[in-house]
Amino acid sequence: MDKQANARVGIIMGSASDLPVMELTAKVLKELEVPFEMTVISAHRTPQRMMAYAASAAERGLKVIVAGAGGAAHLPGMTASVTPLPVIGVPIKSSNSIDGWDSVLSILQMPAGVPVATVALDGGRNAGILAAQVVAAGDEALLGRLAQFKDALKAKVMDSVERVENHPI
Ligand code: RP5
């Protein structure tokens, strides 16, 4: 398995075709300096690989798993069924998807006792931010970087206020 030293977040996706969305997760984790690993695991095409990954994730030092899949998206839920770690699900509007709804609902509507924290359709970046927030629960320095990240969001909005208020109609 492709392991970055000291990875705290595991990013998995059902197919290489999910990479354009899931690399958004990787990019924001890199921005926030959170070590991660990333690989392809298909719930339907490589079920044993999925079980092995989920079963070993916690003991390998991961703190949270971000799982993205499209269509009949069983990867996040089945991973959550095996690992005690929190799982963040990313529904993907894939080529086999009915407008993304199949993926959204199959990741969101988990049975009692097996939660998956589901982000928006193609929400890879938010999944990365949420994963960093999970890791930050035990990492004061990362918590500080996330506070700066929030400040930057606020500054961007405040920078736009005058422009919008003075926009000629
Ligand atoms: C899902 O089917 C994958 O997560 C992907 O979103 C979708 C299509 O996969 P490919 O046919 O492109 O490999 O399992």
Side-chain angles (χ1 to χ4, degrees):
M1 227 146 262
D2 321 304
K3 175 107 170 71
Q4 177 178 320
N6 304 320
R8 290 292 173 264
V9 181
I11 303 172
I12 56 177
M13 64 201 83
S15 167
S17 64
D18 299 323
L19 187 57
V21 172
M22 299 311 293
E23 75 175 341
L24 302 175
T25 306
K27 281 179 179 168
V28 76
L29 288 172
K30 194 174 173 188
E31 278 173 43
L32 291 165
E33 299 171 49
V34 180
F36 64 90
E37 61 183 25
M38 183 165 74
T39 191
V40 177
I41 298 175
S42 170
H44 301 118
R45 295 161 176 161
T46 63
Q48 289 86 1
R49 177 171 161 79
M50 176 192 66
M51 296 297 279
Y53 185 91
S56 67
E59 68 199 35
R60 291 189 300 104
L62 298 182
K63 299 300 177 197
V64 55
I65 295 172
V66 180
H74 294 111
L75 181 65
M78 286 306 296
T79 299
S81 77
V82 175
T83 180
L85 297 176
V87 175
I88 299 168
V90 184
I92 292 179
K93 190 172 174 180
S94 56
S95 60
N96 63 328
S97 179
I98 304 171
D99 254 359
W101 280 110
D102 38 11
S103 177
V104 168
L105 295 176
S106 55
I107 295 176
L108 184 67
Q109 292 299 116
M110 288 296 291
V114 191
V116 170
T118 308
V119 297
L121 187 67
D122 291 344
R125 186 169 168 84
N126 264 4
I129 296 165
L130 186 54
Q133 289 170 319
V134 170
V135 176
D139 183 335
E140 284 292 324
L142 177 56
L143 204 57
R145 292 197 291 280
L146 281 160
Q148 286 174 1
F149 181 88
K150 293 272 187 197
D151 286 345
L153 293 179
K154 179 179 164 187
K156 197 172 171 191
V157 172
M158 294 316 292
D159 284 350
S160 73
V161 167
E162 196 182 353
R163 184 166 43 84
V164 169
E165 288 182 353
N166 295 318
H167 181 67
I169 303 295

